[in-house]
Amino acid sequence: MNFTRWSARLPGTQRRAAARTEQTASPDRRGESSVPAARAERPTDESPSVPAVDDLRVREVLDRVPSLVALVHGPDHRIAYVNDAYTTAFGVRPLGERAREALPELDALGLFPLLDQVQRSGKPRTVKSRKAPDGRSYTFTCTPVAQGDGKGGSDGRGVLVFATDVTDHAEAAERLRASERRQRETAVTLQRSLLPQELEEPDDLRIAATYHPGGTEAAVGGDWYDVITLGGGRTALVIGDVMGRGVRAAAVMGQLRTAVRAYARLDLPPHEVLQLLDGLAAEIDANQIATCAYAIHDPNEGKLVYSSAGHLPILVRDENGTVLRADEPTGPPLGTGGWMHASGSIPLAPGSTAVLYTDGLVERRDADLDEGIAALERALAGATGTPQVVCDRLVRSAGVTPDHDDDVAVLVLQHPARTGADGELFRNAALELLGGVEAAPRARAFASGVLTSWRFPADLHDLGVLATSELVANSLQHGTPPMRLRLRRTDRRLIIEVTDGDDHLPRRRRAEPGDESGRGIAIVATIASNWGCRRTPGGGKAVWCEFALPRTQTT
């Protein structure tokens, strides 16, 4: 093959070498193609004779390089040259034939449109890591070449195809991607297994939640949520986000979620729960930071009492569509230490909907975080329907897709406004306990009348009156004013609660046969389905018990 008609026009190189060649080349070298000469120091008498780049024949160089080289020319890309490495990889190729027929491997790789583009534009192009029919992967660089005299138009243009074997790199990259996929699948599986498989269903709330893992490789994080029924009609709601990605973040999330459930059973105020979590997070991993919002709903109070450790504000939509944002108080994230968290409250009247969420729902790289929260407020203002419908609508409005770049967790709760027959199943009655020892018989009479009006069966009526008597007696003996008795029925249970001004919590203990007291809480724990006690804000305590209603009472 004669290379006299072609000179390589490589990326970023001018044809200065060609001009120098015409001026200085000896007669026996004219007609030989060349590449630009390298600058070299002037040889000394002692230096061995080293040929300059201009003295090297292009074909001799290309024949010896391990990379695959092919030269095609003309508008139909006829084969002008293939080097030995190309022949070894794909076999002998006939010169002068059209490349589309004679180089099927390039057609299989989809390179002919690229050859046309390079020939038209005169600019080099590269495609990375294409797998060829021989099973190897190559990176192809297509460089325009032209006749040595610079004339000839499109017929005088060709394309030099230079292919570098990158099979080892491609296989290593694929192994890395496979490893990352397995790690992400493991993290997603761990994450989902640590989240609630089924949400607890409080009597007074309707709840739905969703979790969407990040779509990028190994992007799964430590987002979590939980719903915890505390007894006595109260419900704890939790949402959190462990910073970081992968299995480690999911494992830390699992530890925090387990700890939250344990602390919640103590029925502590929200800020005290976060205070305990803060210390635990530092012990788990001092370098791992997590945000968390913990809220408690009491149907008798008509509000959410909450505390936040660096988490995004809870949003509440009232029955008129007005959205409130619970901005304060907010402390630093868990694990930072040295901060006293505080509790706040936000109204949650019947007919209201509240949303707890992680930053993946509202945070975007090209927008301010407040803009994302404001957009969520607008979406919530127009969102109606069941909690699941609201949850799905908020996720769609935020543009969350399967390839979303961050985890998203959303918890939606509604305090429904019950009327008619449904409202008859949710009733409240309360009595202030005044008058010293006379308070006990008055409380029994009050409980008997209320339970009769609620049409409870005789056995449940008698158990309710007995439990009321024991709780009131315990409060009169060990508590201080003000004292209050509260009865509540839902569609599933009867709840009896007594509050007083003393913060000493009673405990169940074993009474000896000769003891004249100490049996009240034991009796309540025996006859009731569940019982418990907690300290109340501002001092004092509440002691409660509940009875599961027969199925006939819930229909």
Side-chain angles (χ1 to χ4, degrees):
M1 176 61 197
N2 189 351
F3 270 74
T4 58
R5 299 178 59 225
W6 307 95
S7 64
R9 195 167 74 184
L10 301 174
T13 303
Q14 305 297 324
R15 301 186 61 192
R16 295 188 298 271
R20 287 199 302 272
T21 300
E22 292 180 359
Q23 296 173 5
T24 63
S26 61
D28 61 333
R29 291 176 52 216
R30 295 186 184 276
E32 288 293 330
S33 177
S34 64
V35 295
R39 295 178 181 268
E41 295 182 2
R42 184 182 301 274
T44 64
D45 293 339
E46 293 79 12
S47 302
S49 177
V50 178
V53 174
D54 281 345
D55 296 329
L56 300 177
R57 295 175 178 241
V58 173
R59 177 162 186 158
E60 291 178 359
V61 174
L62 297 181
D63 278 344
R64 295 182 182 183
V65 297
S67 300
L68 281 57
V69 180
L71 177 66
V72 297
H73 69 89
D76 52 356
H77 306 305
R78 292 187 179 273
I79 304 175
Y81 167 77
V82 292
N83 72 344
D84 293 342
Y86 196 105
T87 301
T88 301
F90 298 117
V92 178
R93 294 294 182 258
L95 302 180
E97 297 294 326
R98 287 164 49 93
R100 288 188 181 275
E101 290 78 25
L103 301 178
E105 58 277 1
L106 298 188
D107 192 21
L109 292 165
L111 288 184
F112 285 116
L114 187 67
L115 295 179
D116 294 335
Q117 182 183 8
V118 170
Q119 192 175 61
R120 286 194 308 269
S121 66
K123 296 180 180 179
R125 294 288 186 271
T126 298
V127 292
K128 296 182 178 179
S129 191
R130 293 283 180 89
K131 195 168 187 178
D134 66 346
R136 310 290 291 176
S137 295
Y138 300 90
T139 289
F140 289 86
T141 298
C142 300
T143 303
V145 294
Q147 279 185 324
D149 60 4
K151 302 176 182 179
S154 61
D155 289 341
R157 287 189 176 182
V159 179
L160 184 71
V161 180
F162 189 92
T164 304
D165 190 334
V166 294
T167 303
D168 292 341
H169 295 285
E171 291 177 351
E174 180 54 36
R175 288 193 297 270
L176 178 59
R177 286 191 294 268
S179 175
E180 290 175 345
R181 285 194 298 269
R182 289 192 296 270
Q183 182 182 12
R184 181 177 185 277
E185 290 168 359
T186 300
V188 170
T189 301
L190 177 61
Q191 175 85 340
R192 291 193 181 279
S193 68
L194 294 174
L195 290 173
Q197 303 305 300
E198 292 185 6
L199 292 177
E200 296 186 20
E201 299 180 357
D203 296 359
D204 294 276
L205 297 175
R206 295 173 183 166
I207 299 178
T210 188
Y211 169 71
H212 295 268
T216 56
E217 293 294 332
V220 62
D223 295 18
W224 94 91
Y225 56 82
D226 209 348
V227 178
I228 309 166
T229 53
L230 302 177
R234 291 154 50 85
T235 306
L237 305 127
V238 193
I239 196 158
D241 185 0
V242 177
M243 304 303 171
R245 294 288 182 267
V247 175
R248 178 59 182 168
V252 172
M253 175 275 289
Q255 295 177 76
L256 291 177
R257 176 176 175 258
T258 301
V260 169
R261 295 192 69 86
Y263 295 147
R265 299 304 178 192
L266 301 176
D267 211 344
L268 300 172
H271 66 276
E272 293 188 22
V273 171
L274 292 191
Q275 208 71 48
L276 293 171
L277 278 179
D278 184 48
L280 179 64
E283 293 178 9
I284 293 174
D285 188 342
N287 298 318
Q288 197 79 52
I289 301 299
T291 66
C292 180
Y294 183 91
I296 294 177
H297 174 255
D298 188 330
N300 297 293
E301 297 177 357
K303 61 183 179 182
L304 276 178
V305 179
Y306 68 91
S307 186
S308 175
H311 204 76
L312 299 172
I314 300 171
L315 302 181
V316 175
R317 176 189 183 274
D318 65 20
E319 58 183 348
N320 299 317
T322 302
V323 177
L324 302 177
R325 180 189 300 192
D327 284 327
E328 298 294 343
T330 300
L334 301 175
T336 55
W339 181 268
M340 293 301 295
H341 292 274
S343 293
S345 66
I346 187 171
L348 189 73
S352 298
T353 300
V355 179
L356 292 78
Y357 52 95
T358 57
D359 58 3
L361 186 67
V362 296
E363 190 172 30
R364 300 294 179 268
R365 296 181 182 180
D366 57 349
D368 187 78
L369 179 60
D370 285 336
E371 294 178 10
I373 299 176
L376 181 62
E377 289 179 337
R378 292 191 295 271
L380 178 59
T384 58
T386 66
Q388 189 61 59
V389 170
V390 173
C391 193
D392 294 341
R393 180 170 179 177
L394 296 180
V395 170
R396 286 196 305 271
S397 70
V400 176
T401 59
D403 59 350
H404 194 63
D405 63 358
D406 195 5
D407 292 40
V408 174
V410 184
L411 181 65
V412 175
L413 57 126
Q414 290 180 343
H415 185 190
R418 295 183 170 90
T419 58
D422 189 34
E424 291 295 319
L425 298 178
F426 291 80
R427 306 288 292 275
N428 289 278
L431 174 69
E432 300 296 331
L433 298 176
L434 304 173
V437 294
E438 299 178 359
R442 191 160 56 248
R444 287 193 294 270
F446 175 79
S448 178
V450 169
L451 298 181
T452 298
S453 67
W454 288 350
R455 301 178 182 177
F456 283 168
D459 56 343
L460 184 57
H461 171 279
D462 293 343
L463 291 175
V465 172
L466 176 58
T468 298
S469 178
E470 295 299 335
L471 292 181
V472 170
N474 181 80
S475 181
L476 290 172
Q477 182 173 0
H478 302 288
T480 59
M483 302 178 184
R484 192 167 187 254
L485 167 66
R486 184 167 65 188
L487 304 178
R488 176 172 174 77
R489 72 153 294 166
T490 70
D491 58 344
R492 304 176 203 172
R493 72 197 80 237
L494 165 66
I495 302 168
I496 302 171
E497 182 180 81
V498 176
T499 60
D500 65 55
D502 184 84
D503 61 3
H504 179 266
L505 299 180
R507 59 185 178 87
R508 183 179 180 181
R509 63 186 180 90
R510 189 184 191 91
E512 298 299 329
D515 292 345
E516 297 183 357
S517 62
R519 295 183 175 83
I521 296 299
I523 292 173
V524 171
T526 300
I527 65 176
S529 305
N530 194 16
W531 81 280
C533 56
R534 69 178 188 280
R535 291 187 173 88
T536 54
K541 66 176 178 294
V543 185
W544 55 269
C545 68
E546 57 186 32
F547 297 86
L549 300 185
R551 186 171 299 274
T552 55
Q553 287 290 311
T554 63
T555 58

